[in-house]
Amino acid sequence: MSKIGTEQSAPLDKRRRATMADVAAHVGVSRQLVGLAFSNEPGVAAQTRIRILDAAAELGYRPNTAARSLRSASTKSIGVIFHPNESAPLEIVEWLYEYGHRAGYRVIVSTATPSREEQRAIDELIGYRCEALILISPREDPAALRSASGHTPVVVIGRDMPDTEFDVVRSKGDEGIESIVRHLADLGHKDITYVHGSDMFESELRLAGYQRAVSALGLCEQVLEVRGDYTEESGASAARLLLERGKMPTAIVCNNDQAALGLSHVLQQAGVLIPEHVSVTGYDDSRVAGLSFLDLTTARQDPEEIGAAAISAAVARISGSTSKPTQNWTSAPLVVRGSTKPPSR
């Protein structure tokens, strides 16, 4: 009995386009099963679907959409790409599903990870004939994203995209951070350090809010720059630097909730109590911020507001009701919890 599998599939001639039959042979399944997987139909096991999609990406196969277009001029699908290691995008995705459904579109999600490039995720969604793409905090440069997405309308969440045809949805990060600094000043804090994650896309906008606030309040600017972006480790690194210096500020403003979580953990492990010894704040108001052990004062990126704005921009591009790129700014109101109090010294 011969064994069917990827080890017996013939090398693909690089001079021709890969076909559905090539994908089937590569995985060791029937052509019909490949068709079901790409149509997102039932009857395909989850692991098999993943193997088929991975094989298609490896071979450079994209479904032939011409035949499907004869049956339907519209797929009524919007593709979403996000990085699962970040907490806030998960909440945004929930509202993208909700507002996509309200607009009559299904939302198809594809993730980008360290081992799975954004371009591969984009190719997958274009293969599904998504009529627009929503990218949450994309890492690629605009030129690469433009090339990968082709002529598909693109909406970017959480990152400025100057001089592109992409629509952008961003929260007012500078105003959010400014409101946090003013809250701390109202409590009596004058020694306020800002943790600046230099690799974060919105870092300069949020830093500007801190600088504007301390300048207006006549406070001394204290910026602690660390490598990293939306990670607990960037906050942990900041905490270690502060502990090494030996002099702790009375308040610390982190540029996101995950950094605040990492910072708080390291400080409390070292015996620095929050908020008794130092007040700590974040930004995002992600789910972790409301957990009882953290109880974090923060600025809220409203995932519902962001999701509604992104779907609205995508549908407007699909329908042709707008042709010019738009900048959509969402609010960032202050949320006060138990991680801040008047200074003890």
Side-chain angles (χ1 to χ4, degrees):
M1 181 185 299
S2 63
K3 186 178 180 181
I4 300 176
T6 58
E7 57 269 73
Q8 287 212 343
S9 61
L12 182 64
D13 185 348
K14 300 296 184 182
R15 293 172 296 181
R16 67 175 178 84
R17 292 183 62 182
T19 66
M20 191 179 292
D22 293 323
V23 176
H26 193 79
V27 179
V29 298
S30 69
R31 186 179 179 281
Q32 289 76 13
L33 196 64
V34 173
L36 289 174
F38 275 101
S39 299
N40 208 25
E41 298 289 339
V44 186
Q47 285 298 111
T48 302
R49 189 186 304 276
I50 291 171
R51 289 172 56 216
I52 289 171
L53 296 178
D54 284 346
E58 180 182 340
L59 298 175
Y61 169 76
R62 285 187 178 178
N64 184 350
T65 60
R68 297 181 189 177
S69 296
L70 293 175
R71 296 195 298 269
S72 174
S74 171
T75 62
K76 303 297 286 185
S77 298
I78 295 173
V80 174
I81 298 172
F82 76 104
H83 295 261
N85 62 319
E86 300 173 10
S87 59
L90 294 174
E91 299 171 50
I92 294 171
V93 168
E94 292 179 15
W95 288 107
L96 291 174
Y97 275 119
E98 174 64 25
Y99 280 94
H101 175 72
R102 293 185 192 182
Y105 287 81
R106 64 171 180 162
V107 171
I108 303 175
V109 175
S110 184
T111 58
T113 68
S115 61
R116 191 171 191 269
E117 297 177 347
E118 284 177 345
Q119 182 168 346
R120 186 171 173 184
I122 289 172
D123 287 342
E124 178 182 274
L125 294 175
I126 291 176
Y128 281 130
R129 289 183 61 221
C130 291
E131 297 181 63
L133 300 178
I134 297 176
L135 311 182
I136 304 178
S137 299
R139 307 292 175 83
E140 294 286 347
D141 65 80
L145 291 174
R146 186 186 302 108
S147 175
S149 60
H151 298 291
T152 305
V154 172
V155 179
V156 173
I157 293 176
R159 179 183 174 187
D160 188 22
M161 285 282 176
D163 303 320
T164 70
E165 68 277 18
F166 301 155
D167 294 87
V168 174
V169 178
R170 307 166 71 192
S171 69
K172 297 176 181 177
D174 54 341
E175 294 183 8
I177 294 294
E178 185 174 5
S179 69
I180 289 172
V181 175
R182 290 186 178 277
H183 161 69
L184 292 169
D186 288 343
L187 290 175
H189 292 277
K190 293 180 171 55
D191 187 5
I192 304 171
T193 292
Y194 181 74
V195 175
H196 176 55
S198 57
D199 296 334
M200 194 179 75
F201 288 124
E202 294 291 277
S203 61
E204 296 303 322
L205 180 67
R206 297 181 191 180
L207 175 62
Y210 167 79
Q211 292 172 326
R212 188 167 65 228
V214 295
S215 176
L217 294 166
L219 304 178
C220 179
E221 182 178 311
Q222 302 174 57
V223 177
L224 182 64
E225 184 168 332
V226 294
R227 299 294 300 178
D229 45 25
Y230 296 95
T231 65
E232 291 83 356
E233 186 53 38
S234 64
S237 297
R240 295 186 194 106
L241 288 172
L242 289 169
L243 290 168
E244 288 172 8
R245 291 179 179 181
K247 183 181 182 298
M248 193 66 57
T250 65
I252 302 170
V253 179
C254 295
N255 62 1
N256 65 86
D257 292 346
Q258 287 176 264
L261 173 60
L263 178 136
S264 298
H265 175 73
V266 171
L267 290 184
Q268 294 189 98
Q269 289 290 100
V272 179
L273 300 182
I274 300 167
E276 289 79 7
H277 298 158
V278 59
S279 290
V280 174
T281 73
Y283 185 99
D284 284 335
D285 195 28
S286 58
R287 285 181 178 144
V288 69
L291 297 177
S292 59
F293 72 88
L294 190 58
D295 199 26
L296 187 67
T297 293
T298 186
R300 177 172 175 77
Q301 284 201 102
D302 190 331
E304 180 178 1
E305 188 180 359
I306 292 170
I311 290 293
S312 177
V315 171
R317 283 305 188 99
I318 293 170
S319 66
S321 61
T322 182
S323 59
K324 294 182 179 180
T326 58
Q327 282 270 352
N328 302 274
W329 293 95
T330 62
S331 59
L334 176 68
V335 179
V336 177
R337 295 195 178 95
S339 67
T340 53
K341 63 178 294 188
S344 58
R345 51 186 168 84

